[in-house]
Amino acid sequence: MFSGQKMLIKLRHTIEVLKATAVATYKEWTAYRSHMAVSIFVGPVFFLTQAFIWRAVYSSRTTLNGLTLEQMLTYYGISAVINYLTYDSADWDLQMLIRTGQFLTFMLRPLSYGYFAFSQKVGHRILAFWVELVPIYLIFFYLFKIELIPVAPWWALLSIFLSFVLVFFTNYCIGITAFWLTKTEGIRRAFLVARDLAAGTFIPLTFFPEIMQKALFFLPFQFITYVPTRVFIGDYELVGLTMSIPEIVGLQFVATLVMYGVSKILWRFGIKRFTGVGA
Amino acid sequence: MMTNFRLYLQGVKVALSSRMAYRGDFFMSMIIMLLVEMGAPLLTILIYHNGASFPGWTMYEALLLQGVFLLAKGIAFPFFFGIVWNTIGRVQEGTFDLLLIKPKSVLFLAIVTAFDSEDLGKLLGGITLFALSLSEIPPPGLWEWLQFAALFFIALTTLFGFALILAGLGIVWIGNFRVYDIFESVVNFGKYPAALFSKSVQTMITLIIPIAILGYIPATALLGKPAAGTWSAVTVSVVFLLFSLWFWHWMLKKYSSAGG
């Protein structure tokens, strides 16, 4: 058999595994769709608070940090929508499996756990697309009049996809720390707070002092929310540095590759420590 | 009364002991619980440091409001708000039945077995933020402190009311911990001066769902500029507490002991 054919068979198998796992996860979570649908209430209510706060702040000015009120609300609207698309629980899932010993069953499967977890995320987010994202998008678009149309749709899609993968790898790395720490709830929460802060989920990164902006520029977290949101809006600026959309998406791709490498290294060391505790 | 108090202390002791199995994780979780709550104060600080403001409020007045809110949460969450996750978890696992067969009130037992040690971080954060912002404003007089104490007590009872409603929901909405998200999104309005919101929202958070009482109303009393409608808000809070008690018992009657 030619090596090309072998590769094709392997690729087809890989896709079939992804499809089967994603479909199973989709069906499993369909039973809990009402839990997911809570976001249809929570998302717009959080946004409404932000809208009131920023309207009051902008009552005596037209721009703040170079952003108009409309741009600020668009930023929050887009980042909320992107976060629903890229949400991930790989960290919690893996630490739970390790702590309870259930991870043992994955050691026996002819399948990489990382790939399985990623496939689960795909299924979970496909369900979230219908249950959470579409209704929230429509509420933001029609009720709050937020312009949720990307300036460069293909670049925005690519940037959101890279963010989707990057969030998975960063969370997966946190999950791997359970091989050393067993219970990682504390470090997981610490990381999530730091990540959301450094990713620009709470407030655009340009609001931070310059020295912090410089530090944030070199961390991978800006590529999770801030970069896809700015790509969606159509321009990028941080610490006074402006970059074109292809340049920043290229950097995002590099950051994703780096996190992939970090997760592989951590996994190699972590898996040696697994002893099936709790099994 | 003393027996109940001893039982509660026993619950605290058991919760702390079991959590100490993973000490490192416990202390980190406690610090994180503090940091998680710092989102609103951080937003406030960044807004003021960028030259903007909440109209009519200085930065430390706004931080005091958020400190009051966090202090109320810091007392409620470790000491009684745990009935929410306790009820949801027990109903899902089927162990809620164990509370029903014991010779004590189900509500009391749900509180006793729900002490949340990690949330002491919130209390620490609340005390710190409250003390720091208080030191930056003119010192309140005795009358302001008395008003504040009374309103703060009402804020705690209101949080108890919220806990009862969420826990009651957890009896019939099996395994849905996202009731916390609903709560957080709604009370988010309580972290900011009510004057920032539209008239209809102000009416909603003062006279329909008592949210302004959780931070804004006690803070304005302490600042010596009591909010309009304070008495109405107190009345609504009392009605809300009575409603939540009725709601909890109504949901309890609907418990079918099916597990999740």
Side-chain angles (χ1 to χ4, degrees), chain A residues 34-36 38-39 45-46 49 52-53 56-57 61 64-65 183-187 189-190 193 197 203 207, chain B residues 22 25 28-29 32-33 36 42-43 46 50-52 55 118 173-176 178 182 185 188 192 196-198:
Chain A
S34 73
H35 296 197
M36 212 177 243
V38 166
S39 301
V45 171
F46 266 122
T49 325
F52 278 118
I53 292 166
V57 168
R61 57 182 64 233
L64 185 58
N65 259 342
K183 190 169 167 68
T184 62
E185 199 53 29
I187 194 168
R189 283 179 186 159
V193 172
L197 195 66
I203 193 163
F207 274 73
Chain B
Y22 298 99
D25 186 69
M28 190 174 274
S29 292
I32 294 316
M33 280 301 176
V36 166
L42 180 72
L43 183 70
L46 287 175
N50 278 279
E118 284 171 21
W173 204 358
I174 310 295
N176 196 348
R178 292 207 70 194
I182 298 174
S185 67
N188 201 28
Y192 301 95
L196 301 190
F197 307 119
S198 67

Side-chain angles (χ1 to χ4, degrees), chain A residues 34-83:
Chain A
S34 73
H35 296 197
M36 212 177 243
V38 166
S39 301
I40 299 170
F41 173 81
V42 170
V45 171
F46 266 122
F47 181 80
L48 195 64
T49 325
Q50 294 295 342
F52 278 118
I53 292 166
W54 289 108
R55 279 213 172 99
V57 168
Y58 274 91
S59 61
S60 57
R61 57 182 64 233
T62 49
T63 60
L64 185 58
N65 259 342
L67 292 172
T68 62
L69 173 63
E70 200 182 15
Q71 284 172 324
M72 182 63 83
L73 295 183
T74 306
Y75 178 89
Y76 278 105
I78 295 167
S79 71
V81 167
I82 288 172
N83 284 335

